[in-house]
Amino acid sequence: MNTTNQTMNKNHMSAGYMIRVSIFSALAFLVMYVEFPIAALFPAFLQIDFSDVLAFIGGVTLGPLAVVLIELIKNLLHLILNSSTGGVGELANFSVGVALILPAVLIYKKKKSIPSLIVGFIVGIVSMVIVASVGNYYIFLPFYGVPGDAVLENIIAVYAPFNVVKGLIVGTAAIVLHQSIKRIYKYIV
């Protein structure tokens, strides 16, 4: 009977975990629709949204695996329901979202403090710029027909700076929201 109860608790915790991940994913998917350009700095098609903030809160409350799952599910939903890029935009969003948020969550989990959050997001921004640059060079920009000689120029002049600014905005929003609601995390877990 004791083994049965332990199995039921594990299954219940697993189901509860997946429900929480699903809720964060659905919210992140909805937040993806509230996007905005950074006026006059970058081309209008480069937009920022705050869906990665929900992946951060999910990662802090549910663990690092939740970051990957939330980013994956929100992008799969977007691919199924609203993709205009044939999955390339969703692949880019997934890869840069995980690259930004996962380091921040992992570093924060080791030492829960504002300085570790800041360091985590700095590492995340560097990681995101590297992942986005490699992805843009080999996959994303060639898919959109950017000529080979213009790919590196676009990465250096447009995409890398955009990702730095995006990381700063999303990281700041995540830290502010985290500080505002961390008292209620016990109700999420």
Side-chain angles (χ1 to χ4, degrees):
M1 180 127 154
N2 203 7
T3 306
T4 305
N5 287 339
Q6 287 176 348
T7 303
M8 287 175 59
N9 285 339
K10 285 182 184 178
N11 289 338
H12 177 71
M13 288 178 63
S14 178
Y17 177 84
M18 287 311 300
I19 289 168
R20 288 173 183 88
V21 165
S22 298
I23 291 169
F24 276 111
S25 300
L27 291 171
F29 167 70
L30 293 173
V31 169
M32 282 180 83
Y33 287 99
V34 183
E35 58 185 4
F36 58 93
I38 304 174
L41 292 177
F42 301 102
F45 66 87
L46 291 174
Q47 306 262 325
I48 292 179
D49 69 69
F50 291 104
S51 61
D52 294 332
V53 172
L54 290 159
F56 172 75
I57 301 298
V60 167
T61 57
L62 301 173
L65 177 60
V67 172
V68 177
L69 293 173
I70 292 165
E71 292 286 350
L72 178 64
I73 294 168
K74 84 168 182 183
N75 280 293
L76 286 174
L77 287 170
H78 194 268
L79 175 66
I80 293 166
L81 298 173
N82 195 37
S83 182
S84 60
T85 64
V88 175
E90 289 78 17
L91 179 60
N93 187 284
F94 170 76
S95 61
V96 299
V98 170
L100 173 64
I101 301 301
L102 191 57
V105 167
L106 290 171
I107 290 171
Y108 180 72
K109 286 287 199 182
K110 287 188 179 193
K111 184 169 189 210
K112 295 181 179 181
S113 68
I114 295 292
S116 71
L117 270 177
I118 293 168
V119 168
F121 273 107
I122 291 169
V123 171
I125 290 167
V126 170
S127 171
M128 180 174 68
V129 169
I130 292 168
V131 166
S133 295
V134 170
N136 278 322
Y137 189 81
Y138 289 106
I139 301 168
F140 311 132
L141 292 178
F143 176 83
Y144 289 114
V146 176
D149 55 341
V151 170
L152 190 56
E153 181 181 312
N154 276 296
I155 290 170
I156 293 168
V158 177
Y159 293 98
F162 170 79
N163 283 310
V164 170
V165 172
K166 176 184 176 177
L168 290 170
I169 291 170
V170 169
T172 300
I175 291 169
V176 169
L177 182 63
H178 165 73
Q179 286 300 108
S180 301
I181 68 169
K182 69 181 180 182
R183 289 184 235 49
I184 68 166
Y185 286 169
K186 62 185 171 190
Y187 301 108
I188 296 171
V189 178

